[in-house]
Structure formats: C-alpha cells, structure tokens
C-alpha cells in the first residue's frame, strides 16, 4: 500500500477530525438525530477507507500470493478481514506479501 498510504492517511485523519467533532457534539448534549447523522458520515468515510485498503491489497498482495501458490491463505485472510477473524489451525503458514510491510515485522 505504498502510493495509497498518503491517501489513506489523509482520509483517516479527516475521519478522525470528524469523529472528534461528534465527540464534542455528545459532550455538548446536542440533538441525538444530529449526532446520528454525523456518525453516519463518519461510518461512510471509514467504509471508503476500508474499500481503498482492500482494493490495494487485491491489486498488490493477492496476485503475489496466488503466483506463489498461496490461494488458500489469501482466501482465509480476506474472509477474516472482511467478515471477522477466524481462528487459524495450528501449523497454518501465514501469507507473506512483499507489496508492503505487515504489522509485527512480517514482510
């Protein structure tokens, strides 16, 4: 997610600022419906960020993993990331894509 990192970072900071505004609204005891509208806007922003990150992964990391024969791992990761984490079976090998660095030092 090299080139996209700037865009994602900008979008995250923007969503964070918007969410900070919603927190202030709650602290100021603003009308609940107004708060709900603003929360919907924040949620929409986060969904757009998720889409951008997913698209970057699908275009960069997934082709590498498939080329290396790791289709099962790719499917497991995508299912866990989009639908919720699923426990891994002992001995399962993790996918290591070179497109970007993974948290925890994976490359």
């Amino acid at each position: 997610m090299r080139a996209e990192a700037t865009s994602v970072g900008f979008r995250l900071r923007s969503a964070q600022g918007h969410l900070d505004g919603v927190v202030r609204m709650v602290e100021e005891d603003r009308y609940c419906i107004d708060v709900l509208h603003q929360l919907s806007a924040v949620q929409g922003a986060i969904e757009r960020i998720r889409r951008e990150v997913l698209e970057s992964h699908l275009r960069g990391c997934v082709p590498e993993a498939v080329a290396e024969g790791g289709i099962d791992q790719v499917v497991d990761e995508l299912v866990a990331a989009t639908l919720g984490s699923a426990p891994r079976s002992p001995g399962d090998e993790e996918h290591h894509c070179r497109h970007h660095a993974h948290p925890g030092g994976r490359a």
Side-chain angles (χ1 to χ4, degrees), residues 32-44:
C32 296
I33 297 301
D34 292 340
V35 172
L36 288 170
H37 284 295
Q38 293 306 311
L39 286 171
S40 290
V42 171
Q43 186 174 11

Side-chain angles (χ1 to χ4, degrees), residues 49-59 78 82:
I49 296 164
R50 283 179 52 94
R51 178 186 173 93
E52 187 171 341
V53 171
L54 176 61
E55 198 170 314
S56 173
H57 185 68
L58 291 172
R59 293 182 191 283
L78 288 172
T82 56

Side-chain angles (χ1 to χ4, degrees), residues 23-100:
V23 169
R24 281 191 300 278
M25 289 176 73
V26 170
E27 290 169 347
E28 295 168 359
D29 198 26
R30 299 277 295 273
Y31 184 53
C32 296
I33 297 301
D34 292 340
V35 172
L36 288 170
H37 284 295
Q38 293 306 311
L39 286 171
S40 290
V42 171
Q43 186 174 11
I46 290 171
E47 285 303 315
R48 287 187 294 279
I49 296 164
R50 283 179 52 94
R51 178 186 173 93
E52 187 171 341
V53 171
L54 176 61
E55 198 170 314
S56 173
H57 185 68
L58 291 172
R59 293 182 191 283
C61 301
V62 170
E64 288 177 10
V66 170
E68 294 170 1
I71 189 69
D72 291 333
Q73 185 65 36
V74 168
V75 170
D76 290 345
E77 285 181 349
L78 288 172
V79 168
T82 56
L83 302 176
S85 294
R88 292 199 168 278
S89 300
D92 279 355
E93 199 172 300
E94 289 194 40
H95 162 68
H96 298 273
C97 78
R98 292 179 300 269
H99 183 67
H100 59 82

